[in-house]
Amino acid sequence: MTTISTYTVTSSRDDKYPFVYANPVRVEQRYHPEHDDSSPAQPTPQATATQSALLLHGVGQQYTLVTDHAIPSILGQEEILVKVQAIGLNPIDWKGPAYNFGIPSLPWINGRDLAGVVVAVRDANSRIRVGDRVLVPSTDYRDIRKAAFQQYAVATHFNAARIPAATGLHVSASLGVAFVAATLALGVSLGLDYTTIAACPGPNLVEVVQKVPPTEIPADVREECFAAVPEHERLRKGDWLVIWGASTTTGMITLQLAKLAGVKVICVADVARHGARLHALGADVLVDRHAPARAVEIIRGVTQGKLRFAVDIVGRDTAALLQEVLVEDGTVREDGSHAHLLGLTGLPKERRPGIVYHTVPIKLFHASAGVGETMVAWLEELLQSTALVCPEVVRHAGGLEGINAALDTLRQGGVSGKRIVIELEG
Ligand SMILES: NC(=O)c1ccc[n+]([C@@H]2O[C@H](COP(=O)([O-])OP(=O)(O)OC[C@H]3O[C@@H](n4cnc5c(N)ncnc54)[C@H](OP(=O)(O)O)[C@@H]3O)[C@@H](O)[C@H]2O)c1
Protein backbone atom coordinates (compact mmCIF):
# COMPACT_ATOMS: atom_id res chain seq x y z
CA MET A 1 0.00 0.00 0.00
CA THR A 2 1.37 3.41 -0.99
CA THR A 3 0.85 6.68 0.86
CA ILE A 4 -0.14 9.16 -1.80
CA SER A 5 -0.99 12.21 0.22
CA THR A 6 -1.48 13.63 3.68
CA TYR A 7 -4.44 15.89 4.32
CA THR A 8 -5.40 18.05 7.23
CA VAL A 9 -8.94 17.01 8.07
CA THR A 10 -10.97 17.56 11.18
CA SER A 11 -12.60 15.59 13.89
CA SER A 12 -15.47 17.33 15.69
CA ARG A 13 -18.08 19.68 14.35
CA ASP A 14 -18.01 23.39 15.24
CA ASP A 15 -21.47 25.04 15.23
CA LYS A 16 -20.07 28.43 14.26
CA TYR A 17 -18.88 27.14 10.88
CA PRO A 18 -21.53 24.83 9.42
CA PHE A 19 -19.11 22.98 7.17
CA VAL A 20 -15.96 23.03 9.22
CA TYR A 21 -14.75 20.80 11.98
CA ALA A 22 -12.63 21.85 14.92
CA ASN A 23 -9.55 20.08 16.33
CA PRO A 24 -7.68 19.37 13.13
CA VAL A 25 -5.89 16.04 12.93
CA ARG A 26 -3.55 14.77 10.27
CA VAL A 27 -4.86 11.75 8.43
CA GLU A 28 -2.71 9.82 6.04
CA GLN A 29 -4.77 8.67 3.09
CA ARG A 30 -3.62 5.29 1.87
CA TYR A 31 -4.37 4.01 -1.58
CA HIS A 32 -3.41 0.92 -3.51
CA PRO A 33 -4.27 0.96 -7.21
CA GLU A 34 -4.88 -2.81 -7.34
CA HIS A 35 -7.15 -3.08 -4.30
CA ASP A 36 -8.90 0.24 -4.13
CA ASP A 37 -10.05 2.21 -7.16
CA SER A 38 -11.70 5.02 -5.21
CA SER A 39 -10.02 8.43 -5.29
CA PRO A 40 -8.55 9.81 -2.08
CA ALA A 41 -11.15 11.63 0.01
CA GLN A 42 -11.28 15.38 -0.60
CA PRO A 43 -11.42 17.54 2.55
CA THR A 44 -13.74 20.16 1.08
CA PRO A 45 -16.95 19.74 3.08
CA GLN A 46 -18.04 23.29 2.32
CA ALA A 47 -19.28 22.59 -1.19
CA THR A 48 -23.00 23.10 -0.63
CA ALA A 49 -23.08 25.73 2.16
CA THR A 50 -24.02 29.33 1.50
CA GLN A 51 -22.75 32.67 2.76
CA SER A 52 -23.27 36.42 2.45
CA ALA A 53 -21.41 38.16 -0.36
CA LEU A 54 -21.38 41.53 -2.09
CA LEU A 55 -22.17 41.24 -5.78
CA LEU A 56 -21.50 43.75 -8.53
CA HIS A 57 -24.28 43.45 -11.12
CA GLY A 58 -23.25 46.20 -13.52
CA VAL A 59 -20.66 48.85 -14.33
CA GLY A 60 -21.33 52.10 -12.47
CA GLN A 61 -23.59 50.35 -9.97
CA GLN A 62 -23.27 49.90 -6.23
CA TYR A 63 -22.62 46.45 -4.79
CA THR A 64 -25.64 44.36 -3.70
CA LEU A 65 -25.64 42.17 -0.59
CA VAL A 66 -26.85 38.60 -1.09
CA THR A 67 -27.11 35.96 1.62
CA ASP A 68 -27.32 32.79 -0.47
CA HIS A 69 -24.05 32.83 -2.37
CA ALA A 70 -22.21 29.50 -2.44
CA ILE A 71 -19.15 29.29 -0.26
CA PRO A 72 -16.22 28.89 -2.67
CA SER A 73 -14.73 25.45 -3.04
CA ILE A 74 -11.10 24.58 -2.62
CA LEU A 75 -9.96 23.19 -5.96
CA GLY A 76 -6.19 22.87 -5.74
CA GLN A 77 -3.79 21.21 -3.33
CA GLU A 78 -2.19 24.59 -2.61
CA GLU A 79 -5.50 26.26 -1.64
CA ILE A 80 -6.92 27.16 1.75
CA LEU A 81 -10.28 28.55 2.90
CA VAL A 82 -10.33 31.65 5.10
CA LYS A 83 -13.22 32.92 7.21
CA VAL A 84 -12.98 36.65 6.46
CA GLN A 85 -13.03 38.84 9.57
CA ALA A 86 -11.67 42.13 8.25
CA ILE A 87 -11.45 43.71 4.79
CA GLY A 88 -9.11 46.54 3.82
CA LEU A 89 -10.53 48.84 1.13
CA ASN A 90 -8.36 49.80 -1.85
CA PRO A 91 -9.05 52.56 -4.42
CA ILE A 92 -9.51 49.83 -7.07
CA ASP A 93 -12.64 48.65 -5.20
CA TRP A 94 -14.54 51.75 -6.35
CA LYS A 95 -12.46 52.61 -9.45
CA GLY A 96 -13.03 49.16 -11.02
CA PRO A 97 -16.85 49.38 -11.07
CA ALA A 98 -16.79 53.12 -11.89
CA TYR A 99 -14.42 52.88 -14.89
CA ASN A 100 -15.08 49.28 -15.93
CA PHE A 101 -11.78 47.62 -15.28
CA GLY A 102 -10.83 44.49 -13.37
CA ILE A 103 -14.31 42.99 -13.86
CA PRO A 104 -13.95 39.72 -15.82
CA SER A 105 -17.74 39.09 -15.97
CA LEU A 106 -20.99 39.97 -14.22
CA PRO A 107 -22.17 39.50 -11.58
CA TRP A 108 -18.76 39.67 -9.89
CA ILE A 109 -17.26 39.90 -6.40
CA ASN A 110 -14.47 42.40 -5.68
CA GLY A 111 -12.25 43.13 -2.69
CA ARG A 112 -8.48 42.71 -2.57
CA ASP A 113 -7.30 42.78 1.05
CA LEU A 114 -8.60 40.44 3.73
CA ALA A 115 -7.64 39.05 7.11
CA GLY A 116 -9.27 36.22 9.01
CA VAL A 117 -8.92 32.70 10.33
CA VAL A 118 -8.05 29.63 8.26
CA VAL A 119 -10.86 27.06 8.35
CA ALA A 120 -9.64 24.50 5.81
CA VAL A 121 -6.25 23.48 4.45
CA ARG A 122 -5.61 20.89 1.76
CA ASP A 123 -1.85 20.43 2.04
CA ALA A 124 -0.79 19.25 5.49
CA ASN A 125 2.82 20.18 4.74
CA SER A 126 2.07 23.82 4.10
CA ARG A 127 3.17 26.67 6.42
CA ILE A 128 -0.51 27.44 6.99
CA ARG A 129 -2.65 25.43 9.43
CA VAL A 130 -6.34 25.43 10.32
CA GLY A 131 -6.85 28.05 13.03
CA ASP A 132 -4.04 30.36 11.87
CA ARG A 133 -4.84 34.06 11.68
CA VAL A 134 -3.74 35.21 8.25
CA LEU A 135 -3.71 38.27 6.02
CA VAL A 136 -4.18 37.72 2.31
CA PRO A 137 -3.37 40.19 -0.47
CA SER A 138 -5.77 38.91 -3.10
CA THR A 139 -4.12 40.06 -6.31
CA ASP A 140 -5.73 37.32 -8.46
CA TYR A 141 -8.87 39.33 -9.29
CA ARG A 142 -9.84 36.95 -12.11
CA ASP A 143 -10.64 34.22 -9.58
CA ILE A 144 -13.95 35.18 -7.95
CA ARG A 145 -13.38 32.62 -5.17
CA LYS A 146 -10.47 34.73 -3.92
CA ALA A 147 -12.32 38.06 -3.64
CA ALA A 148 -12.55 39.67 -0.19
CA PHE A 149 -16.16 40.92 -0.22
CA GLN A 150 -17.61 37.63 1.05
CA GLN A 151 -17.66 35.74 4.33
CA TYR A 152 -15.37 32.96 3.14
CA ALA A 153 -12.59 33.33 0.59
CA VAL A 154 -10.21 30.89 -1.03
CA ALA A 155 -6.49 31.72 -1.03
CA THR A 156 -3.28 29.85 -1.66
CA HIS A 157 -0.97 29.04 1.22
CA PHE A 158 1.81 30.86 -0.64
CA ASN A 159 -0.21 34.08 -0.71
CA ALA A 160 -1.23 34.03 2.97
CA ALA A 161 0.92 35.59 5.71
CA ARG A 162 0.44 34.47 9.32
CA ILE A 163 -0.31 37.40 11.60
CA PRO A 164 1.93 37.61 14.68
CA ALA A 165 0.12 37.45 18.04
CA ALA A 166 1.01 41.07 18.84
CA THR A 167 -0.40 42.42 15.56
CA GLY A 168 -4.09 43.27 15.36
CA LEU A 169 -6.22 41.40 12.85
CA HIS A 170 -7.89 44.55 11.56
CA VAL A 171 -4.70 46.47 10.98
CA SER A 172 -3.38 43.41 9.15
CA ALA A 173 -6.16 43.73 6.58
CA SER A 174 -4.81 47.13 5.59
CA LEU A 175 -1.42 46.45 4.13
CA GLY A 176 -1.37 43.35 1.91
CA VAL A 177 -1.78 44.69 -1.62
CA ALA A 178 0.26 47.79 -0.78
CA PHE A 179 3.06 45.56 0.54
CA VAL A 180 3.00 43.39 -2.59
CA ALA A 181 3.06 46.42 -4.91
CA ALA A 182 5.84 48.18 -2.98
CA THR A 183 7.98 45.05 -2.61
CA LEU A 184 7.78 44.11 -6.29
CA ALA A 185 8.24 47.71 -7.47
CA LEU A 186 11.49 48.19 -5.57
CA GLY A 187 12.70 44.57 -5.50
CA VAL A 188 11.94 43.43 -9.07
CA SER A 189 11.45 46.52 -11.23
CA LEU A 190 14.17 48.68 -9.64
CA GLY A 191 16.31 45.75 -8.48
CA LEU A 192 16.71 46.69 -4.80
CA ASP A 193 18.36 43.82 -2.91
CA TYR A 194 16.56 43.25 0.42
CA THR A 195 19.21 40.82 1.69
CA THR A 196 21.24 43.84 2.77
CA ILE A 197 18.65 44.93 5.36
CA ALA A 198 20.19 44.41 8.79
CA ALA A 199 17.00 44.81 10.86
CA CYS A 200 15.10 42.10 8.99
CA PRO A 201 16.88 40.67 5.94
CA GLY A 202 14.64 39.92 2.99
CA PRO A 203 15.03 38.29 -0.41
CA ASN A 204 16.95 39.29 -3.50
CA LEU A 205 13.86 39.14 -5.69
CA VAL A 206 15.79 39.58 -8.93
CA GLU A 207 17.59 36.32 -8.17
CA VAL A 208 14.37 34.61 -7.02
CA VAL A 209 12.60 35.62 -10.24
CA GLN A 210 15.48 34.49 -12.49
CA LYS A 211 14.89 30.94 -11.18
CA VAL A 212 11.17 30.94 -12.04
CA PRO A 213 10.36 29.10 -15.29
CA PRO A 214 9.25 31.80 -17.78
CA THR A 215 6.08 29.82 -18.56
CA GLU A 216 4.97 30.33 -14.93
CA ILE A 217 4.93 34.09 -15.45
CA PRO A 218 2.05 35.68 -17.39
CA ALA A 219 3.25 36.86 -20.80
CA ASP A 220 2.29 40.50 -20.24
CA VAL A 221 4.59 40.91 -17.22
CA ARG A 222 7.41 38.63 -18.38
CA GLU A 223 9.53 41.44 -19.79
CA GLU A 224 9.25 43.50 -16.59
CA CYS A 225 10.28 40.43 -14.60
CA PHE A 226 13.16 39.15 -16.68
CA ALA A 227 14.53 42.31 -18.30
CA ALA A 228 15.34 43.53 -14.81
CA VAL A 229 17.52 46.56 -14.27
CA PRO A 230 21.12 45.58 -15.16
CA GLU A 231 23.22 44.98 -12.08
CA HIS A 232 25.21 48.22 -12.29
CA GLU A 233 22.02 50.29 -12.58
CA ARG A 234 20.07 48.79 -9.65
CA LEU A 235 18.71 50.88 -6.82
CA ARG A 236 21.00 50.52 -3.83
CA LYS A 237 22.01 52.02 -0.50
CA GLY A 238 22.87 55.71 -0.75
CA ASP A 239 20.90 56.33 -3.98
CA TRP A 240 18.13 58.91 -4.13
CA LEU A 241 14.53 57.77 -4.71
CA VAL A 242 11.53 60.06 -5.13
CA ILE A 243 8.07 58.82 -4.18
CA TRP A 244 5.31 61.05 -5.55
CA GLY A 245 2.18 60.21 -3.56
CA ALA A 246 4.11 59.14 -0.46
CA SER A 247 1.08 59.51 1.84
CA THR A 248 -0.72 56.65 0.10
CA THR A 249 -0.64 53.32 1.90
CA THR A 250 1.56 51.99 -0.91
CA GLY A 251 3.80 55.05 -0.63
CA MET A 252 4.33 54.64 3.10
CA ILE A 253 5.33 51.01 2.68
CA THR A 254 7.60 51.84 -0.28
CA LEU A 255 9.24 54.51 1.90
CA GLN A 256 9.81 52.08 4.76
CA LEU A 257 11.30 49.32 2.59
CA ALA A 258 13.59 51.80 0.87
CA LYS A 259 14.75 53.28 4.19
CA LEU A 260 15.39 49.82 5.66
CA ALA A 261 17.74 49.21 2.70
CA GLY A 262 19.58 52.53 3.19
CA VAL A 263 18.08 54.43 0.25
CA LYS A 264 17.67 58.22 0.59
CA VAL A 265 14.01 59.09 0.03
CA ILE A 266 12.30 62.29 -1.08
CA CYS A 267 8.56 62.19 -0.34
CA VAL A 268 6.09 64.32 -2.28
CA ALA A 269 2.82 64.63 -0.38
CA ASP A 270 0.61 67.11 1.44
CA VAL A 271 3.29 68.00 3.97
CA ALA A 272 0.97 69.84 6.36
CA ARG A 273 -1.23 66.77 6.63
CA HIS A 274 1.25 63.94 6.38
CA GLY A 275 4.68 65.44 7.10
CA ALA A 276 4.88 64.23 10.70
CA ARG A 277 3.98 60.67 9.78
CA LEU A 278 6.34 60.54 6.78
CA HIS A 279 9.15 62.03 8.86
CA ALA A 280 8.56 59.40 11.54
CA LEU A 281 8.76 56.69 8.86
CA GLY A 282 12.17 57.96 7.79
CA ALA A 283 11.64 60.42 4.91
CA ASP A 284 14.87 62.32 4.22
CA VAL A 285 13.23 65.23 2.43
CA LEU A 286 9.57 66.29 2.40
CA VAL A 287 8.20 68.22 -0.58
CA ASP A 288 4.70 69.64 -0.69
CA ARG A 289 2.52 68.34 -3.49
CA HIS A 290 0.35 71.46 -3.83
CA ALA A 291 2.92 73.45 -5.83
CA PRO A 292 4.08 70.88 -8.41
CA ALA A 293 6.45 73.16 -10.39
CA ARG A 294 8.18 74.19 -7.19
CA ALA A 295 8.33 70.54 -6.11
CA VAL A 296 10.24 69.72 -9.31
CA GLU A 297 12.71 72.55 -8.59
CA ILE A 298 13.22 71.37 -5.02
CA ILE A 299 13.88 67.78 -6.08
CA ARG A 300 16.38 68.99 -8.69
CA GLY A 301 18.10 71.21 -6.16
CA VAL A 302 18.35 68.51 -3.50
CA THR A 303 19.57 65.72 -5.79
CA GLN A 304 21.92 67.87 -7.92
CA GLY A 305 21.36 65.87 -11.11
CA LYS A 306 21.99 62.57 -9.33
CA LEU A 307 18.38 61.34 -9.20
CA ARG A 308 17.95 58.09 -11.14
CA PHE A 309 14.94 56.45 -9.50
CA ALA A 310 11.35 57.61 -9.08
CA VAL A 311 8.07 55.94 -8.19
CA ASP A 312 4.79 57.66 -8.98
CA ILE A 313 1.68 56.57 -7.07
CA VAL A 314 -0.73 59.30 -8.17
CA GLY A 315 -1.20 59.30 -11.97
CA ARG A 316 0.05 60.16 -15.44
CA ASP A 317 0.45 63.92 -14.80
CA THR A 318 2.68 63.53 -11.77
CA ALA A 319 4.61 60.76 -13.52
CA ALA A 320 5.28 63.30 -16.31
CA LEU A 321 6.63 65.76 -13.71
CA LEU A 322 8.98 63.09 -12.40
CA GLN A 323 10.15 62.47 -15.95
CA GLU A 324 11.20 66.15 -16.10
CA VAL A 325 13.35 65.71 -13.02
CA LEU A 326 14.92 62.44 -14.11
CA VAL A 327 16.11 63.61 -17.52
CA GLU A 328 16.30 67.36 -17.87
CA ASP A 329 15.81 68.62 -21.45
CA GLY A 330 15.98 65.09 -22.82
CA THR A 331 19.70 64.81 -22.06
CA VAL A 332 21.08 61.27 -21.94
CA ARG A 333 23.62 60.63 -19.18
CA GLU A 334 27.28 60.81 -20.16
CA ASP A 335 28.03 57.31 -18.84
CA GLY A 336 25.15 55.87 -20.88
CA SER A 337 23.25 54.74 -17.77
CA HIS A 338 19.52 55.16 -17.50
CA ALA A 339 17.07 56.66 -15.10
CA HIS A 340 14.14 54.49 -13.99
CA LEU A 341 10.54 55.66 -13.59
CA LEU A 342 7.89 53.33 -12.21
CA GLY A 343 4.23 54.29 -12.46
CA LEU A 344 1.73 52.50 -10.26
CA THR A 345 -1.20 54.45 -11.65
CA GLY A 346 -0.09 55.28 -15.19
CA LEU A 347 2.96 56.53 -17.09
CA PRO A 348 3.43 59.64 -19.25
CA LYS A 349 2.16 59.40 -22.83
CA GLU A 350 5.33 60.88 -24.27
CA ARG A 351 8.47 58.96 -23.43
CA ARG A 352 11.97 60.37 -23.05
CA PRO A 353 15.24 58.80 -24.17
CA GLY A 354 17.44 57.89 -21.24
CA ILE A 355 14.55 56.70 -19.05
CA VAL A 356 13.46 53.09 -18.59
CA TYR A 357 9.74 52.98 -17.80
CA HIS A 358 8.35 50.36 -15.45
CA THR A 359 5.00 49.06 -14.27
CA VAL A 360 4.70 46.79 -11.27
CA PRO A 361 4.40 43.07 -12.19
CA ILE A 362 1.75 42.50 -9.52
CA LYS A 363 0.60 39.17 -11.04
CA LEU A 364 3.94 37.64 -10.17
CA PHE A 365 2.77 37.37 -6.55
CA HIS A 366 -0.01 34.87 -7.28
CA ALA A 367 1.35 33.36 -10.51
CA SER A 368 4.62 32.12 -8.98
CA ALA A 369 4.39 30.07 -5.78
CA GLY A 370 8.11 30.59 -5.22
CA VAL A 371 7.89 34.38 -5.41
CA GLY A 372 4.62 34.54 -3.44
CA GLU A 373 5.90 32.36 -0.62
CA THR A 374 9.20 34.26 -0.43
CA MET A 375 7.29 37.52 -0.07
CA VAL A 376 4.74 36.41 2.55
CA ALA A 377 7.44 34.68 4.60
CA TRP A 378 9.36 37.98 4.67
CA LEU A 379 6.19 39.91 5.52
CA GLU A 380 5.65 37.61 8.51
CA GLU A 381 9.17 38.44 9.72
CA LEU A 382 8.77 42.17 9.08
CA LEU A 383 5.60 42.19 11.20
CA GLN A 384 7.05 39.94 13.90
CA SER A 385 10.17 42.10 14.22
CA THR A 386 8.11 45.33 13.96
CA ALA A 387 10.58 46.52 11.32
CA LEU A 388 7.54 47.41 9.23
CA VAL A 389 5.04 49.85 10.70
CA CYS A 390 1.45 49.09 9.70
CA PRO A 391 -0.79 51.76 8.17
CA GLU A 392 -3.15 53.72 10.37
CA VAL A 393 -6.66 52.42 9.92
CA VAL A 394 -10.20 53.68 10.26
CA ARG A 395 -12.41 50.80 11.40
CA HIS A 396 -15.96 50.47 10.06
CA ALA A 397 -18.22 48.12 11.99
CA GLY A 398 -20.89 47.91 9.28
CA GLY A 399 -19.99 44.50 7.86
CA LEU A 400 -20.36 43.73 4.15
CA GLU A 401 -23.46 45.95 3.94
CA GLY A 402 -21.36 48.95 5.05
CA ILE A 403 -18.91 48.70 2.16
CA ASN A 404 -20.81 50.85 -0.36
CA ALA A 405 -20.91 53.79 2.04
CA ALA A 406 -17.28 53.31 3.04
CA LEU A 407 -16.21 53.28 -0.63
CA ASP A 408 -18.11 56.56 -1.16
CA THR A 409 -16.07 58.05 1.66
CA LEU A 410 -12.88 56.75 0.06
CA ARG A 411 -13.84 58.09 -3.38
CA GLN A 412 -14.59 61.54 -1.97
CA GLY A 413 -11.18 61.66 -0.28
CA GLY A 414 -12.82 61.58 3.14
CA VAL A 415 -10.07 59.44 4.61
CA SER A 416 -6.58 60.80 4.22
CA GLY A 417 -3.38 58.85 4.89
CA LYS A 418 -5.32 55.95 6.42
CA ARG A 419 -6.89 52.68 5.25
CA ILE A 420 -10.57 51.97 5.83
CA VAL A 421 -10.99 48.50 7.29
CA ILE A 422 -14.41 46.83 7.37
CA GLU A 423 -15.11 44.59 10.36
CA LEU A 424 -17.09 41.40 9.79
CA GLU A 425 -18.82 39.56 12.60
CA GLY A 426 -17.37 36.52 14.23
N1 LIG B 1 -0.70 48.83 -10.32
C1 LIG B 1 -0.94 48.16 -9.21
O1 LIG B 1 -0.87 46.94 -9.16
C2 LIG B 1 -1.28 48.93 -7.97
C3 LIG B 1 -1.14 48.33 -6.71
C4 LIG B 1 -1.44 49.10 -5.58
C5 LIG B 1 -1.89 50.41 -5.73
N2 LIG B 1 -2.06 50.92 -6.97
C6 LIG B 1 -2.57 52.29 -7.17
O2 LIG B 1 -1.79 53.17 -6.39
C7 LIG B 1 -2.59 54.26 -5.93
C8 LIG B 1 -2.47 54.37 -4.42
O3 LIG B 1 -3.10 53.26 -3.83
P1 LIG B 1 -3.19 53.17 -2.25
O4 LIG B 1 -4.09 52.05 -1.94
O5 LIG B 1 -1.83 53.15 -1.68
O6 LIG B 1 -3.89 54.58 -1.96
P2 LIG B 1 -4.51 55.18 -0.62
O7 LIG B 1 -3.83 54.64 0.55
O8 LIG B 1 -5.99 55.07 -0.69
O9 LIG B 1 -4.06 56.69 -0.87
C9 LIG B 1 -4.83 57.78 -0.62
C10 LIG B 1 -3.88 58.97 -0.49
O10 LIG B 1 -3.55 59.48 -1.77
C11 LIG B 1 -3.17 60.83 -1.58
N3 LIG B 1 -3.31 61.63 -2.79
C12 LIG B 1 -4.45 61.84 -3.47
N4 LIG B 1 -4.20 62.64 -4.53
C13 LIG B 1 -2.86 62.94 -4.50
C14 LIG B 1 -2.01 63.74 -5.31
N5 LIG B 1 -2.47 64.42 -6.37
N6 LIG B 1 -0.70 63.82 -4.99
C15 LIG B 1 -0.21 63.14 -3.94
N7 LIG B 1 -0.98 62.39 -3.11
C16 LIG B 1 -2.30 62.29 -3.39
C17 LIG B 1 -4.14 61.30 -0.51
O11 LIG B 1 -3.44 62.18 0.28
P3 LIG B 1 -4.00 63.66 0.62
O12 LIG B 1 -4.31 63.62 2.06
O13 LIG B 1 -2.85 64.52 0.28
O14 LIG B 1 -5.20 63.93 -0.27
C18 LIG B 1 -4.47 60.07 0.31
O15 LIG B 1 -3.82 60.08 1.56
C19 LIG B 1 -4.02 53.96 -6.40
O16 LIG B 1 -4.27 54.67 -7.60
C20 LIG B 1 -4.00 52.48 -6.67
O17 LIG B 1 -4.97 52.08 -7.61
C21 LIG B 1 -1.75 50.23 -8.10
Side-chain angles (χ1 to χ4, degrees):
M1 192 165 286
T2 315
T3 301
I4 61 160
S5 62
T6 304
Y7 293 132
T8 296
V9 296
T10 51
S11 60
S12 68
R13 201 171 171 103
D14 180 337
D15 286 342
K16 274 205 301 190
Y17 312 137
F19 51 85
V20 173
Y21 296 80
N23 309 325
V25 293
R26 279 166 60 128
V27 175
E28 286 191 341
Q29 307 253 331
R30 290 177 187 278
Y31 173 69
H32 192 293
E34 285 174 27
H35 303 127
D36 182 356
D37 57 5
S38 65
S39 298
Q42 300 297 300
T44 52
Q46 76 277 18
T48 55
T50 58
Q51 60 165 345
S52 293
L54 220 48
L55 290 185
L56 181 72
H57 284 285
V59 172
Q61 294 184 14
Q62 293 229 312
Y63 296 101
T64 307
L65 182 71
V66 295
T67 55
D68 58 353
H69 195 78
I71 288 174
S73 297
I74 290 178
L75 300 178
Q77 182 74 1
E78 72 288 358
E79 292 183 344
I80 62 175
L81 188 71
V82 180
K83 177 175 165 54
V84 181
Q85 293 174 319
I87 299 168
L89 297 186
N90 285 276
I92 188 80
D93 298 332
W94 68 263
K95 284 183 188 173
Y99 304 121
N100 192 15
F101 58 79
I103 306 165
S105 69
L106 290 167
W108 200 250
I109 304 178
N110 279 353
R112 303 275 62 99
D113 265 318
L114 63 95
V117 63
V118 177
V119 293
V121 172
R122 182 67 73 82
D123 179 359
N125 296 318
S126 101
R127 295 165 25 261
I128 305 294
R129 300 294 161 113
V130 169
D132 281 348
R133 295 187 321 147
V134 292
L135 73 89
V136 179
S138 171
T139 54
D140 192 1
Y141 72 91
R142 289 189 168 276
D143 190 339
I144 196 169
R145 301 173 306 138
K146 295 178 180 167
F149 294 171
Q150 52 189 335
Q151 287 179 297
Y152 293 90
V154 167
T156 56
H157 60 72
F158 58 81
N159 278 173
R162 290 166 297 182
I163 302 169
T167 307
L169 186 110
H170 294 91
V171 82
S172 301
S174 70
L175 84 164
V177 170
F179 172 79
V180 171
T183 304
L184 291 173
L186 296 182
V188 174
S189 298
L190 303 187
L192 182 63
D193 179 2
Y194 299 123
T195 62
T196 61
I197 296 176
C200 185
N204 180 327
L205 283 177
V206 172
E207 285 177 5
V208 174
V209 171
Q210 296 299 330
K211 290 180 192 138
V212 177
T215 49
E216 224 178 79
I217 296 179
D220 59 339
V221 298
R222 222 172 270 160
E223 192 185 345
E224 184 67 40
C225 294
F226 289 117
V229 184
E231 177 124 31
H232 65 280
E233 285 194 14
R234 288 182 196 157
L235 175 62
R236 44 173 58 87
K237 183 177 179 175
D239 284 336
W240 283 108
L241 169 74
V242 176
I243 305 171
W244 201 303
S247 70
T248 59
T249 309
T250 312
M252 289 199 222
I253 293 178
T254 306
L255 164 63
Q256 292 186 67
L257 297 180
K259 287 312 302 171
L260 283 168
V263 174
K264 295 184 289 188
V265 185
I266 299 175
C267 289
V268 185
D270 182 328
V271 176
R273 266 179 170 170
H274 306 296
R277 174 90 171 147
L278 293 169
H279 179 253
L281 294 177
D284 294 284
V285 178
L286 296 169
V287 181
D288 195 68
R289 77 171 174 89
H290 293 291
R294 182 76 181 139
V296 167
E297 277 177 37
I298 293 168
I299 298 167
R300 275 197 192 123
V302 169
T303 55
Q304 295 285 296
K306 294 202 175 85
L307 180 70
R308 287 184 39 243
F309 300 97
V311 173
D312 178 81
I313 317 183
V314 179
R316 186 171 274 175
D317 293 348
T318 48
L321 291 171
L322 281 170
Q323 182 173 248
E324 299 293 323
V325 196
L326 286 166
V327 179
E328 210 172 337
D329 306 325
T331 327
V332 179
R333 271 153 226 281
E334 281 173 14
D335 63 1
S337 69
H338 300 89
H340 295 269
L341 172 58
L342 184 139
L344 270 151
T345 323
L347 283 166
K349 268 189 187 155
E350 287 178 21
R351 304 292 166 96
R352 292 281 176 86
I355 299 182
V356 180
Y357 295 85
H358 301 269
T359 53
V360 69
I362 200 98
K363 293 177 185 174
L364 191 54
F365 177 65
H366 61 262
S368 165
V371 175
E373 179 130 30
T374 299
M375 288 172 65
V376 291
W378 187 37
L379 177 55
E380 289 175 0
E381 286 166 20
L382 284 164
L383 293 174
Q384 183 74 46
S385 64
T386 67
L388 187 74
V389 178
C390 289
E392 291 179 10
V393 302
V394 177
R395 286 169 66 159
H396 273 234
L400 289 172
E401 49 272 66
I403 287 181
N404 281 320
L407 286 175
D408 281 344
T409 308
L410 188 62
R411 182 172 50 214
Q412 289 153 13
V415 177
S416 176
K418 298 187 174 78
R419 233 339 160 237
I420 299 177
V421 173
I422 304 292
E423 298 177 17
L424 269 61
E425 281 181 10

